[in-house]
Amino acid sequence: MAEKRNSNYTREYVDGNTVRKLRPEQAPVKREAGSKNRRKVNYTVRRNQEKALQINLPHLLMLTAAAICMLYLCVTYLQVQSSITSRMHNIEQSEKELEVLKSENDALETSINTYVDLDYVYEVATEELGMVYANKDQVIMYNRTESEYVRQYDDIPKY
């Protein structure tokens, strides 16, 4: 396929889903007659933008007060966050101490329970104190339907 060399065409190609074609040179764009209006509009827009960018004293004071308030809030937030973190650390330490104390308490209770020798208690009770087991005829069983608990000084019902 031979390329045509014509002064109206450039060597750039246009991509698309069809066969590539040479792009014709574009003619320079002519300025419209209303370009002076655009310059005036651009000048007024630029002047308004410059006015908007200028900061006067009330705006400066307001921005300074807002910055000081924001700085105060940030410092207060950091202090509260630090306080919460330290309290959480203290709570964790207290919980660890509580667990240690509970485990020590359980160990001491177990050692006390294993220290009591029931055979020794029986020997002291029977030999030194003269205690004996009750006979079957000495134990009286009765049903109490009035309440769920037993009062120590209530009368025992007779059969």
Side-chain angles (χ1 to χ4, degrees):
M1 188 182 217
E3 284 186 22
K4 289 185 179 180
R5 300 221 176 202
N6 194 342
S7 62
N8 292 338
Y9 291 97
T10 60
R11 294 178 81 36
E12 295 180 22
Y13 290 96
V14 177
D15 289 330
N17 61 354
T18 59
V19 177
R20 294 184 180 182
K21 298 178 183 176
L22 291 174
R23 183 184 309 169
E25 277 188 28
Q26 295 179 353
V29 178
K30 295 182 181 178
R31 295 193 177 226
E32 298 176 5
S35 64
K36 289 184 179 181
N37 289 338
R38 281 189 191 156
R39 287 184 189 166
K40 287 181 184 178
V41 171
N42 288 339
Y43 176 73
T44 56
V45 168
R46 188 178 304 132
R47 188 177 59 191
N48 288 338
Q49 287 175 348
E50 288 174 0
K51 283 183 181 178
L53 291 176
Q54 292 176 355
I55 298 177
N56 52 12
L57 185 62
H59 288 129
L60 181 64
L61 292 176
M62 185 180 69
L63 287 175
T64 305
I68 290 171
C69 288
M70 196 57 132
L71 181 65
Y72 174 75
L73 289 175
C74 289
V75 168
T76 305
Y77 174 76
L78 290 175
Q79 287 175 345
V80 168
Q81 190 70 23
S82 173
S83 172
I84 289 172
T85 303
S86 66
R87 287 183 184 177
M88 292 296 288
H89 181 68
N90 289 340
I91 289 171
E92 289 175 0
Q93 291 296 329
S94 297
E95 286 177 349
K96 287 178 184 177
E97 289 176 12
L98 178 66
E99 288 298 320
V100 168
L101 290 174
K102 280 185 177 180
S103 65
E104 288 177 3
N105 192 20
D106 291 342
L108 286 173
E109 186 178 0
T110 304
S111 69
I112 288 171
N113 290 338
T114 57
Y115 182 72
V116 175
D117 186 15
L118 295 178
D119 292 332
Y120 177 74
V121 171
Y122 178 77
E123 285 178 21
V124 169
T126 56
E127 292 175 6
E128 293 180 14
L129 300 175
M131 299 177 88
V132 292
Y133 278 112
N135 294 332
K136 288 186 181 182
D137 58 344
Q138 292 176 331
V139 178
I140 300 172
M141 302 293 282
Y142 69 96
N143 292 331
R144 185 170 175 109
T145 58
E146 295 172 8
S147 64
E148 295 292 324
Y149 59 93
V150 176
R151 292 186 189 156
Q152 186 174 358
Y153 298 109
D154 258 2
D155 291 336
I156 298 174
K158 302 222 179 200
Y159 289 108

